[in-house]
Amino acid sequence: MIAEPTLLSRSVQKENSVVDVSSCASVHHVSSERNENRQKTVRGKRKARECSENAKRKHSKSSNGSLGRAENEQLKNGDVEAVTLFEVVSMGRSAMQAVVDDWIDAYTGDRDTALLDLISFFIQCSGCKGMVTAEMFQSKKGTDVLSKMVEDLDEDTGLQYKKFLAFPWILTVTWPLDMDSGEYPLIMSGLYWKRFRSHFCEFVSVLVAQCQNCVIFDGYLLNTLISLLTELSDSRVRAFRHTCTLAAVKLLSALVNVALNLSVSVDNSQRLYEVELAKMASKRASPRLDRIQKKISELQDRKFEIENMMDAIFKGVFLKRYRDVIPEIRSICMEELTVWMKLYSSVFLNDSYLKYVGWMMHDKQPDVRLKCVLGLQALYQDQSSSKMDLFTIRFKERMISMTLDKDHEVAIQAMRLLMVISQSCEDVLSPDDHKNIFQFVYCSHRPLATTAGEFLYNRLLSNPELSRPKDGASDQERHRELVLARVRALIHFHTESELHQHVLYLVDSLWDSAGALLKDWTGLTSLLLPHTSCQEQALSSAEEAFVIELMLASVRQAAEGPPLSGRGAGKKVISTKEKKSQTDDCIKLTEHFIKVLPALLSKYSEDAEKLTSLLKIPQYFQMDTCDQENTQCVQALLAELESAVEKHRDAGLLETTARSYQSLCALDSPWHSLARPSFDRLFQHWTDTLGTQLAESLSDGCFTANEDNILEILSTLKKLNMFNIAQDPSKWSLYELGTRLLDVEIKHGCLPMPVTTEALRCMCSCILWKLNTFGEGVTSRESALQQRSQLRAFCEKCHRCLSHAERLVREQAFMCLSDVLIAHNYQLQMWDSSAGTPLLYTPDPKLQKALLCFVVEHVFTSPEQDSHSSKVSESESGDGRLEDLHRRRNLLAAYCKLIVHSVLEMSMAAEVFKQYVKYYNDFGDIIKETLNRTRQMDKIESARTLVQCLQQLYLRLKQEQDRGNTCSSRVQTYSSIKELARRFSLTFGWDQIKSRESLAMIHRDGIEFVFKGFVQQSEKHSPPHVSYLTILSEFSSKLLKPDKKTIYSYLQKFAGEQVINNREESWMPLIYYRASLMGTAEGEDAVSFISSDTNKQPSITNRSRSPSVKQVNSEGDQRFLSPSLEPKGNKLLKSSEDSKVQQAPLSRESLMSDKGPTSTDEVDVDTVDIDV
């Protein structure tokens, strides 16, 4: 008998049981002995193991047993003595060679015992907790042996067993029922078991390699081993299947190496035979020829035998397991199959085997698909594509489609596979295939985009035939022609892709592979500047625009790094090497463009689009590495900047120039002394110009400018507003100039609309700068009062502009008000008490109401009004609607910021929350985020705002119904209000304890709203607002079970028992609401309670059984008058029956962590009361 293999766990890594094999007589066990062994006591088993262990050690010392050298080697290293093969393999790689040699020696002396040791090793590696028994197969009369080969359950012992033929034995493996659900070595986590897997695979390879010249061809070892692995790999137990499948395919891989060695030996012997045969007859040795011929025949026979073994493993294991239900087994099969194809292509690399790889590329598990793709990469790289033509044609579409795989790693490797196929097989991928593949340079996943960029570079930009320089051309001209050819190829690709706004993403994708081209700013600028020798190769205007965009994108990439909007999972930690490379690139681009940029700006001074792109480059200069040597270049650059802003009025160009001035005027810039005077000179010139123009245009408080003067004033205001972002304009008295214009508009209304909006922006910028700088030093009371009066005056002017006739003026005034009020609120929050008197200002109620009315009128407009207001073409209307939606979203977001930053009262959000359902597609995300933010600020006040919202909608609906206006588009229907309540309840989430106080307040206010003025004894009719209870029932599902009881008691206090049990139609909303409170936590439908209410009276019986209800009724006058009147610490006493009720969605840990109104003690949801 082979004794119990060890129970595999982390705690017994070095305490494995020994194999109970004392002699070869263990082969002749019968079934009666096996049954007797099952009934041994624990003491008997220990004694048997100790005896066998002593016998084995004695045997190994006296006769150089199977583990002698391995034990000695481990003992020399100071390790624990190993007894079994499993223990030696678990110890590590150092003893692998020795243990295999020892086992071969033992097999030569007693092959049955050694082979049983090997069989036990594979059983132990499967994590088997049972035992293995063996009996000789001696049936030569053709009895029905196959009927005994079963895997079943032994009902007498309660153990599973598998009985199979491993010639010359019939093996029986017995294991407990729970083995299939437990862990086994191949799937255990931890470094130890990862190493064990590699040691296990190496053991199989070393075993075959060491046996290839001796016992491997005895017709006994491998036949038994293959039979064992084949049978166990077909077991229902996952551990057996996984372990033995891995062992079988590794055994086949080792046999492939043996077959390759035999093939080499056959070729060498064949060449030796041919050499000997080519000798003259007199010098030819016939016996030698016979020996060589005999050796060739012997080697060929061995090779044929090995191939038969390989075929047996392939058919017996691979064909059954490559579609196994376990993904790990399928991955193992695919990985090893591609290895066989690469190593032994003469046998395995054909369509009969390749089809399995093609089929498994459709597997549901990404790891299996990944193994197929990686294996195919190795095959195509091995110049074996000629044998794979049919496979390539058959599965080309699948390989291309795998670039869209949902698993990113599979998609990346599929892209690399197509890259390899394109290099090895020129005609496989068509131009359309390449075009579709290259589009991945614009995808959001950066690793896939960079792989596609590498493919694009290798296919289009690194082609040696791309440029053919003329004879006698200089190195500079050759380099320029090469850069020109590559850029034109890139222009052609970018033009065909029709994604002209994504040059930045294209550069990011090509950065790793084509970095040398993209960083060749000298070559790129040489294409833009005049070149006398290459006039015939001059770029067109569109090509020049692309080169400028490409150059700007490469500058940004070199200065800021790869992360782009929508590409990348977060900030990447830059290593020291990458940081140094980035700094070096910034230094190079700064030294280059500081000299070349003035010439480029001068050349494209009339083209605003190209000029805007070039003006962004100074923003990426490395200021701390610059020196004073380039003073003339900086002066030329500043002169071009001044010329650009004087010639153009484009807003984008002006803003870009202001940003560049801001970079050059920074305090840490070496050119601060040159750039700051230039900036001040420009700003002073524009301020003086504006003052002169206003003096000429404003007479007697009226605006009397002609069209030319209006254009000049407007242009000057735009320039001043754009350059406000760079420096503080306070010293130029710009606010006073804007005030003069705005006063004229408010008094007389004769100011042109663009001038009014620019004046508002100008004054807003001045106020924001003053708020930003206010408090930097010690602030006096007089200064604070002056600033507050200026802020109040500006807000009053904007308030007046909210009713302006022009929509753009109204919107600009609203945005200015929002920005100023939020900035003022932030300044108060960050105020330092040591800075003196703070700037205090609170918007008056009229202004707050005006802001609310503006949002209601300008944001929540119906589509019908928009469609009637403008009749244009369908495409124009589509673009206009998108722009209009974007504008309205900005307005709503600005108003919601005022609420979130506590500038406006939270109750003013009710009008916004009312539109949650009606405008969900347009503004649902903004309203929901506002609701969540307000709930974080104050849960009770936020819930009160929701109640206010629902009650106002309900009252408005009731008023319209009383008037008979039931079809008004401005009034929401009853179902829409109910749906709004349902959406509000969903925003409370799953944490019922966290929101229990808010929900209780919603129900309390709702009940008080319905029964306000209702007298129980005198009233026979239902209250006028009783239907509101149906809306309120939408929040009942979020209540905890004890809270439902409390709310129900509160309802009884107002309604009374007679009203509660009333079945009249007018009281159906009350019945519905009552049923929602009586529903269980598992969510039973409230309608089922309504249908059964007429046949039972649960309230009376519950009162007799539940003391908690009596307690609530007796204390109702004290508890429910007002939340402020309730004494602290007052709790409801629950009955023993109620206290056993448990809360299903919440665990005890979540209750303990809840910040409830009690204390740090453990909270029980059935005994803690809430304030209602």
Side-chain angles (χ1 to χ4, degrees):
M1 180 187 70
I2 300 177
E4 294 180 22
T6 59
L7 173 62
L8 297 178
S9 66
R10 296 173 179 83
S11 62
V12 291
Q13 292 176 0
K14 297 184 179 180
E15 298 179 359
N16 294 305
S17 303
V18 299
V19 182
D20 189 7
V21 180
S22 58
S23 65
C24 62
S26 61
V27 179
H28 306 285
H29 284 293
V30 294
S31 60
S32 61
E33 294 176 349
R34 182 169 70 251
N35 295 331
E36 182 180 352
N37 290 334
R38 290 179 181 174
Q39 299 173 1
K40 286 183 179 180
T41 61
V42 176
R43 183 177 301 175
K45 289 184 179 181
R46 289 179 179 174
K47 188 173 181 179
R49 285 198 294 268
E50 292 172 0
C51 294
S52 62
E53 182 178 350
N54 295 331
K56 190 167 186 67
R57 290 177 180 173
K58 182 177 180 181
H59 177 73
S60 62
K61 289 180 181 179
S62 60
S63 60
N64 192 19
S66 63
L67 301 174
R69 278 176 286 188
E71 290 176 4
N72 294 333
E73 186 173 344
Q74 295 292 335
L75 291 174
K76 289 179 182 179
N77 296 331
D79 296 333
V80 179
E81 181 180 0
V83 178
T84 65
L85 284 173
F86 177 78
E87 291 174 347
V88 175
V89 172
S90 301
M91 283 181 177
R93 188 169 299 176
S94 59
M96 198 73 66
Q97 193 75 27
V99 71
V100 171
D101 292 338
D102 289 344
W103 185 87
I104 293 174
D105 294 341
Y107 181 82
T108 305
D110 187 353
R111 66 181 187 180
D112 290 337
T113 303
L115 193 54
L116 286 175
D117 286 343
L118 187 61
I119 293 173
S120 178
F121 165 74
F122 286 109
I123 300 299
Q124 284 180 303
C125 290
S126 300
C128 181
K129 306 175 186 177
M131 62 177 63
V132 182
T133 57
E135 54 182 319
M136 289 296 293
F137 170 60
Q138 298 176 345
S139 177
K140 299 180 180 180
K141 299 180 181 180
T143 57
D144 190 9
V145 180
L146 295 179
S147 62
K148 299 180 181 180
M149 307 297 107
V150 293
E151 181 175 350
D152 207 345
L153 172 66
D154 190 348
E155 297 180 357
D156 297 334
T157 60
L159 301 175
Q160 295 187 79
Y161 69 91
K162 182 178 179 65
K163 191 173 184 179
F164 58 92
L165 175 64
F167 189 84
W169 299 304
I170 297 177
L171 299 179
T172 303
V173 183
T174 308
W175 65 90
L177 287 173
D178 60 344
M179 177 184 170
D180 199 25
S181 61
E183 290 186 336
Y184 54 95
L186 293 186
I187 64 170
M188 285 185 179
S189 59
L191 183 61
Y192 177 84
W193 296 113
K194 289 182 180 179
R195 291 177 178 174
F196 173 82
R197 177 190 172 97
S198 62
H199 298 161
F200 175 73
C201 299
E202 184 184 2
F203 173 80
V204 177
S205 302
V206 172
L207 177 64
V208 176
Q210 295 298 105
C211 298
Q212 63 179 332
N213 296 322
C214 50
V215 298
I216 196 175
F217 299 104
D218 63 352
Y220 189 79
L221 171 62
L222 283 186
N223 290 342
T224 304
L225 192 57
I226 292 174
S227 300
L228 170 75
L229 298 179
T230 302
E231 289 293 335
L232 289 181
S233 65
D234 198 28
S235 173
R236 293 194 298 264
V237 181
R238 171 177 175 170
F240 287 147
R241 231 169 44 246
H242 190 180
T243 306
C244 294
T245 300
L246 177 61
V249 295
K250 289 297 180 182
L251 177 62
L252 199 154
S253 299
L255 292 177
V256 166
N257 292 324
V258 174
L260 289 174
N261 294 335
L262 291 174
S263 299
V264 173
S265 300
V266 170
D267 294 338
N268 293 337
S269 300
Q270 189 67 36
R271 285 196 297 270
L272 185 60
Y273 180 81
E274 292 175 357
V275 170
E276 192 68 24
L277 191 63
K279 292 181 180 179
M280 297 177 60
S282 58
K283 296 182 180 181
R284 187 184 306 161
S286 298
R288 181 177 175 83
L289 283 175
D290 294 340
R291 288 197 303 271
I292 295 175
Q293 185 65 38
K294 183 179 179 181
K295 183 179 180 181
I296 292 174
S297 301
E298 182 181 352
L299 291 173
Q300 289 177 344
D301 292 341
R302 287 190 172 187
K303 181 181 176 183
F304 180 74
E305 185 178 353
I306 290 295
E307 290 180 352
N308 287 337
M309 295 177 185
M310 292 159 51
D311 187 63
I313 296 175
F314 184 84
K315 293 180 178 178
V317 178
F318 180 88
L319 290 183
K320 297 178 180 179
R321 300 275 69 81
Y322 84 96
R323 292 184 298 177
D324 195 279
V325 70
I326 305 300
E328 291 85 353
I329 298 178
R330 302 199 299 270
S331 299
I332 290 171
C333 293
M334 290 299 105
E335 183 178 11
E336 294 300 319
L337 177 60
T338 54
V339 171
W340 306 334
M341 292 177 180
K342 184 177 180 181
L343 295 179
Y344 206 19
S345 58
S346 60
V347 174
F348 288 100
L349 190 58
N350 54 60
D351 297 328
S352 299
Y353 294 95
L354 283 169
K355 63 183 180 183
Y356 300 111
V357 182
W359 292 342
M360 297 310 290
M361 285 195 296
H362 296 270
D363 194 272
K364 294 182 179 180
Q365 292 296 323
D367 188 60
V368 181
R369 302 193 299 270
L370 182 62
K371 290 293 188 295
C372 296
V373 173
L374 292 175
L376 289 175
Q377 286 182 19
L379 293 177
Y380 280 103
Q381 287 173 352
D382 205 27
Q383 304 299 328
S384 304
S385 58
S386 59
K387 298 181 180 180
M388 303 173 65
D389 292 340
L390 184 59
F391 171 83
T392 306
I393 296 173
R394 171 64 179 81
F395 293 100
K396 185 187 76 169
E397 296 299 328
R398 174 56 186 162
M399 289 186 285
I400 294 176
S401 66
M402 289 181 75
T403 55
L404 296 169
D405 198 283
K406 64 180 181 180
D407 185 83
H408 292 312
E409 186 61 27
V410 176
I412 292 170
Q413 298 303 327
M415 184 68 68
R416 294 196 177 277
L417 173 61
L418 295 174
M419 194 188 312
V420 174
I421 292 175
S422 178
Q423 293 172 355
S424 59
C425 311
E426 290 291 335
D427 300 332
V428 172
L429 298 177
S430 64
D432 291 336
D433 294 334
H434 283 104
K435 181 179 178 180
N436 294 330
I437 294 170
F438 292 158
Q439 296 300 313
F440 283 92
V441 297
Y442 300 107
C443 73
S444 60
H445 189 246
R446 189 175 188 275
L448 179 58
T450 54
T451 307
E454 182 182 354
F455 193 1
L456 174 65
Y457 178 77
N458 294 335
R459 184 70 182 179
L460 296 182
L461 305 181
S462 63
N463 190 355
E465 298 182 357
L466 197 63
S467 174
R468 295 180 180 178
K470 299 178 180 179
D471 297 336
S474 62
D475 294 340
Q476 184 178 2
E477 292 177 350
R478 290 174 179 268
H479 177 71
R480 186 181 185 280
E481 290 179 3
L482 179 61
V483 172
L484 179 61
R486 289 181 172 180
V487 167
R488 278 184 168 163
L490 204 57
I491 291 173
H492 180 70
F493 162 74
H494 183 67
T495 305
E496 285 189 344
S497 63
E498 298 179 355
L499 295 172
H500 305 294
Q501 304 298 325
H502 294 76
V503 178
L504 195 60
Y505 292 88
L506 175 63
V507 170
D508 183 43
S509 302
L510 291 170
W511 191 253
D512 296 339
S513 55
L517 171 64
L518 298 175
K519 295 179 185 178
D520 186 12
W521 296 298
T522 303
L524 293 175
T525 51
S526 67
L527 301 179
L528 299 174
L529 295 174
H531 200 274
T532 56
S533 60
C534 299
Q535 292 295 331
E536 69 280 0
Q537 298 181 356
L539 297 175
S540 63
S541 178
E543 291 176 337
E544 288 179 343
F546 176 79
V547 173
I548 292 174
E549 289 294 327
L550 186 70
M551 190 167 57
L552 174 62
S554 64
V555 168
R556 192 220 68 88
Q557 189 82 3
E560 296 183 353
L564 294 173
S565 176
R567 182 177 282 185
K571 292 184 178 179
K572 178 185 176 183
V573 179
I574 302 178
S575 62
T576 305
K577 183 178 179 181
E578 292 175 339
K579 184 65 177 178
K580 185 178 182 303
S581 176
Q582 183 176 344
T583 304
D584 294 341
D585 291 339
C586 289
I587 294 173
K588 292 179 182 178
L589 72 90
T590 303
E591 293 177 350
H592 173 72
F593 282 105
I594 199 65
K595 301 175 183 178
V596 179
L597 192 57
L600 292 174
L601 293 175
S602 176
K603 179 180 178 181
Y604 299 104
S605 60
E606 302 298 331
D607 193 329
E609 183 178 356
K610 298 175 184 176
L611 196 60
T612 303
S613 299
L614 291 172
L615 287 172
K616 293 179 181 179
I617 295 179
Q619 301 174 23
Y620 302 104
F621 283 174
Q622 187 77 11
M623 298 300 178
D624 55 352
T625 59
C626 300
D627 48 23
Q628 300 290 342
E629 298 178 358
N630 300 317
T631 303
Q632 295 182 353
C633 298
V634 175
Q635 291 177 348
L637 176 61
L638 293 173
E640 293 298 332
L641 292 179
E642 293 181 13
S643 175
V645 296
E646 289 295 335
K647 291 181 179 179
H648 298 279
R649 301 177 181 178
D650 181 69
L653 187 145
L654 294 175
E655 182 180 359
T656 301
T657 309
R659 298 290 184 187
S660 297
Y661 262 114
Q662 186 179 14
S663 300
L664 296 173
C665 294
L667 296 177
D668 57 347
S669 173
W671 307 309
H672 174 78
S673 58
L674 296 175
R676 186 54 190 264
S678 175
F679 178 86
D680 293 346
R681 187 167 55 252
L682 271 177
F683 214 96
Q684 184 65 50
H685 170 65
W686 292 333
T687 306
D688 295 340
T689 303
L690 180 61
T692 304
Q693 292 169 348
L694 292 183
E696 297 175 355
S697 302
L698 298 178
S699 60
D700 297 332
C702 298
F703 188 76
T704 58
N706 55 24
E707 292 185 2
D708 294 337
N709 291 337
I710 291 175
L711 291 178
E712 290 296 329
I713 293 174
L714 184 61
S715 174
T716 306
L717 280 173
K718 284 184 177 180
K719 293 176 182 179
L720 288 171
N721 288 334
M722 288 301 174
F723 274 71
N724 272 342
I725 63 177
Q727 296 293 332
D728 184 7
S730 300
K731 63 180 181 180
W732 286 286
S733 302
L734 196 58
Y735 179 83
E736 287 72 14
L737 296 176
T739 304
R740 292 173 59 187
L741 283 172
L742 210 56
D743 288 340
V744 171
E745 172 62 22
I746 293 174
K747 293 179 180 179
H748 302 282
C750 56
L751 206 65
M753 183 269 296
V755 176
T756 306
T757 56
E758 293 299 329
L760 283 170
R761 290 181 57 195
C762 179
M763 296 175 64
C764 179
S765 299
C766 295
I767 294 292
L768 291 176
W769 271 108
K770 289 183 178 180
L771 289 174
N772 184 46
T773 57
F774 186 78
E776 291 183 352
V778 179
T779 306
S780 62
R781 178 176 177 82
E782 292 75 11
S783 177
L785 291 176
Q786 182 183 0
Q787 291 279 55
R788 185 175 65 178
S789 62
Q790 190 180 64
L791 177 61
R792 181 184 291 111
F794 175 73
C795 291
E796 291 176 356
K797 289 181 174 61
C798 291
H799 187 188
R800 298 284 297 274
C801 290
L802 288 178
S803 58
H804 197 275
E806 295 290 340
R807 177 180 59 83
L808 293 179
V809 175
R810 297 194 299 269
E811 292 179 357
Q812 185 63 51
F814 178 82
M815 296 302 295
C816 290
L817 272 173
S818 302
D819 294 340
V820 167
L821 292 175
I822 292 173
H824 171 258
N825 179 266
Y826 178 79
Q827 185 258 347
L828 287 180
Q829 293 178 357
M830 303 301 294
W831 183 260
D832 188 4
S833 58
S834 62
T837 305
L839 176 60
L840 299 177
Y841 172 72
T842 302
D844 58 346
K846 291 183 179 180
L847 178 59
Q848 296 186 26
K849 187 176 181 180
L851 292 173
L852 177 60
C853 295
F854 176 86
V855 170
V856 173
E857 293 176 2
H858 291 76
V859 175
F860 302 111
T861 57
S862 61
E864 291 80 5
Q865 295 176 1
D866 296 340
S867 61
H868 289 301
S869 60
S870 60
K871 296 182 179 180
V872 292
S873 63
E874 184 176 351
S875 60
E876 292 180 357
S877 63
D879 296 339
R881 286 180 181 178
L882 288 177
E883 293 179 0
D884 180 69
L885 177 61
H886 181 67
R887 175 184 59 80
R888 290 190 292 154
R889 284 176 62 88
N890 287 337
L891 295 175
L892 179 61
Y895 181 79
C896 292
K897 287 179 184 178
L898 294 175
I899 297 172
V900 170
H901 289 280
S902 302
V903 177
L904 302 179
E905 296 179 359
M906 196 178 297
S907 60
M908 299 193 69
E911 289 295 331
V912 176
F913 294 160
K914 292 176 184 178
Q915 314 298 333
Y916 183 49
V917 175
K918 186 175 181 181
Y919 293 94
Y920 182 80
N921 294 332
D922 295 338
F923 315 116
D925 54 340
I926 300 176
I927 299 176
K928 186 176 181 180
E929 182 63 22
T930 306
L931 202 155
N932 292 334
R933 293 289 186 91
T934 55
R935 188 170 294 154
Q936 293 173 8
M937 295 163 55
D938 190 341
K939 294 187 293 184
I940 301 300
E941 188 64 27
S942 176
R944 189 172 285 110
T945 304
L946 298 183
V947 171
Q948 177 185 350
C949 168
L950 294 174
Q951 291 180 2
Q952 287 178 358
L953 288 175
Y954 178 80
L955 291 175
R956 189 180 303 172
L957 176 63
K958 293 288 291 183
Q959 291 175 0
E960 294 295 330
Q961 289 178 346
D962 294 341
R963 296 173 184 174
N965 300 330
T966 58
C967 300
S968 177
S969 60
R970 297 182 179 181
V971 180
Q972 297 190 26
T973 62
Y974 185 81
S975 59
S976 63
I977 301 175
K978 192 171 184 294
E979 174 65 17
L980 180 62
R982 188 185 71 84
R983 296 285 187 95
F984 285 162
S985 68
L986 292 177
T987 60
F988 285 97
W990 295 99
D991 194 350
Q992 294 173 301
I993 295 180
K994 188 176 181 180
S995 56
R996 64 186 309 196
E997 296 179 0
S998 303
L999 291 168
M1001 193 278 300
I1002 291 175
H1003 284 273
R1004 183 199 66 192
D1005 286 4
I1007 294 173
E1008 294 176 353
F1009 170 73
V1010 171
F1011 291 98
K1012 184 177 182 180
F1014 179 76
V1015 181
Q1016 299 180 15
Q1017 289 77 12
S1018 60
E1019 294 286 349
K1020 296 183 180 180
H1021 300 285
S1022 60
H1025 302 153
V1026 69
S1027 58
Y1028 181 78
L1029 291 175
T1030 307
I1031 299 174
L1032 192 61
S1033 64
E1034 295 294 337
F1035 297 92
S1036 299
S1037 61
K1038 296 296 181 179
L1039 288 171
L1040 297 173
K1041 290 174 64 178
D1043 296 345
K1044 289 183 178 180
K1045 297 177 183 178
T1046 307
I1047 297 297
Y1048 180 69
S1049 302
Y1050 192 55
L1051 178 65
Q1052 284 181 318
K1053 171 185 174 293
F1054 278 88
E1057 286 293 336
Q1058 297 179 354
V1059 174
I1060 285 288
N1061 299 318
N1062 199 324
R1063 296 296 178 268
E1064 295 180 3
E1065 184 178 358
S1066 61
W1067 290 99
M1068 287 304 295
L1070 176 61
I1071 299 173
Y1072 188 88
Y1073 180 60
R1074 170 178 169 267
S1076 68
L1077 294 177
M1078 295 179 61
T1080 59
E1082 287 75 19
E1084 296 184 17
D1085 191 4
V1087 179
S1088 63
F1089 287 88
I1090 297 176
S1091 62
S1092 60
D1093 264 312
T1094 57
N1095 298 325
K1096 59 181 180 179
Q1097 302 290 337
S1099 59
I1100 300 177
T1101 57
N1102 286 342
R1103 288 187 62 190
S1104 62
R1105 290 189 302 170
S1106 176
S1108 61
V1109 177
K1110 293 181 180 180
Q1111 183 80 5
V1112 171
N1113 289 331
S1114 62
E1115 298 179 359
D1117 297 336
Q1118 179 184 1
R1119 288 182 45 78
F1120 297 104
L1121 290 176
S1122 173
S1124 60
L1125 298 177
E1126 182 180 351
K1128 295 183 179 180
N1130 185 21
K1131 300 179 181 179
L1132 283 178
L1133 299 176
K1134 301 295 181 181
S1135 65
S1136 59
E1137 180 180 353
D1138 292 337
S1139 64
K1140 295 180 182 179
V1141 181
Q1142 298 180 359
Q1143 179 61 26
L1146 300 175
S1147 63
R1148 176 66 65 180
E1149 290 76 15
S1150 63
L1151 294 177
M1152 294 175 63
S1153 62
D1154 179 66
K1155 299 179 180 179
T1158 55
S1159 64
T1160 57
D1161 297 333
E1162 184 177 5
V1163 180
D1164 189 348
V1165 296
D1166 291 333
T1167 58
V1168 175
D1169 193 21
I1170 57 174
D1171 294 335
V1172 290

